[in-house]
Amino acid sequence: MSLLLNGVNQRISDMGSLEMQELLGKKDDLIHDLEEKLRLREDEITELRSQLDKFQSVIPYATAGASASTKGRARKTRAQGISAEPQALKTVQELAILSQTTFPEVPKSAR
């Protein structure tokens, strides 16, 4: 049985058990180091994308890089949301009652 280790075709029967464990250990260490480097790079990419998104939200789209392709497009508009607490059923019922209630009119001079 043949095994390809570090680009060299060697026979398992020719290698001692300790040599095989040593080579496998080195490969495991290399794999671990490369996985760690990959994880760090992915974290860095995520952080840079987050910063880019933050900067793009602050800098207006039209001035961020007006090239020939972006001159024809309209400026990006931001959606506006309403920030309010949801109204409970009781509050809705109270509003319905209040809408039917009439309040007395008070002249300005009496205020």
Side-chain angles (χ1 to χ4, degrees):
M1 181 173 164
S2 301
L3 182 63
L4 185 64
L5 294 174
N6 295 330
V8 178
N9 196 10
Q10 299 176 355
R11 294 200 169 274
I12 293 178
S13 60
D14 295 344
M15 299 177 61
S17 177
L18 288 175
E19 291 172 345
M20 180 62 107
Q21 288 178 352
E22 184 179 321
L23 281 174
L24 291 176
K26 286 180 183 179
K27 281 193 168 241
D28 287 343
D29 291 341
L30 178 63
I31 290 170
H32 177 71
D33 291 342
L34 292 174
E35 286 175 342
E36 181 66 20
K37 285 181 182 179
L38 179 63
R39 187 189 61 76
L40 290 174
R41 285 188 180 162
E42 287 175 348
D43 290 346
E44 183 179 13
I45 289 170
T46 303
E47 176 66 27
L48 290 173
R49 282 187 179 151
S50 173
Q51 289 179 9
L52 178 63
D53 289 343
K54 180 172 67 173
F55 292 139
Q56 285 179 339
S57 70
V58 173
I59 298 173
Y61 181 71
T63 61
S67 65
S69 64
T70 60
K71 287 183 181 178
R73 289 191 231 161
R75 184 174 176 203
K76 206 188 258 187
T77 57
R78 296 192 75 139
Q80 291 183 347
I82 298 172
S83 177
E85 294 181 19
Q87 295 183 349
L89 180 62
K90 180 179 177 186
T91 308
V92 173
Q93 291 171 345
E94 289 173 356
L95 287 175
I97 293 170
L98 280 177
S99 67
Q100 296 172 356
T101 305
T102 57
F103 295 98
E105 291 186 24
V106 179
K108 267 188 171 177
S109 58
R111 292 183 197 168

